[in-house]
Amino acid sequence: QVQLVESGGGSVQPGGSLRLSCAASGSIFSFDAMGWYRQGPGKQRVMVAEITRGGGTNYADSVKGRFTISRDNAKNTVYLQMNSLKPEDTALYYCNVRRPLDYYWGRGTQVTVSS
């Protein structure tokens, strides 16, 4: 069993920045990948960014150049640095970990971008 605890969400004005954190129980070396997904009001949950065990990264086109995913192996934590936030980035952001045979979700942290 893997437990994920997200933090760092909040309200920010357009153009602002936030950093999300996801602390995982257990070593993140055991995960094939860790990522961030988001679900906006009335929308499906979609991938925002992920980082693989080897350190490769993938981003949704809508966040490329603005968001950066990183990890701290010693702290078993993955981060999502979000810059130049837009109102359309408003969503509930979920941390996800993927292992060879299963996957886990955090409870989510709300990000609201509004003037």
Side-chain angles (χ1 to χ4, degrees):
Q1 191 80 335
V2 175
Q3 292 186 333
L4 304 172
V5 179
E6 302 112 327
S7 61
S11 296
V12 65
Q13 292 186 339
S17 298
L18 286 172
R19 189 177 80 155
L20 305 183
S21 300
C22 173
S25 62
S27 171
I28 62 177
F29 281 116
S30 69
F31 305 149
D32 286 342
M34 295 188 73
W36 289 95
Y37 287 67
R38 69 186 181 188
Q39 188 167 13
K43 298 182 179 179
Q44 291 186 331
R45 191 176 300 187
V46 296
M47 191 274 288
V48 176
E50 70 171 6
I51 183 165
T52 67
R53 184 189 303 167
T57 57
N58 296 302
Y59 295 94
D61 288 343
S62 59
V63 306
K64 284 180 180 177
R66 300 189 297 123
F67 291 10
T68 303
I69 190 169
S70 62
R71 69 186 184 202
D72 184 331
N73 296 333
K75 296 182 178 180
N76 292 333
T77 299
V78 172
Y79 304 97
L80 185 68
Q81 179 66 44
M82 305 185 294
N83 298 328
S84 302
L85 282 161
K86 305 175 181 180
E88 51 263 43
D89 295 317
T90 295
L92 191 59
Y93 283 70
Y94 295 92
C95 181
N96 170 272
V97 299
R98 190 170 72 244
R99 303 194 301 187
L101 297 179
D102 54 16
Y103 58 91
Y104 295 88
W105 294 99
R107 292 186 175 183
T109 184
Q110 179 68 36
V111 172
T112 301
V113 185
S114 174
S115 55

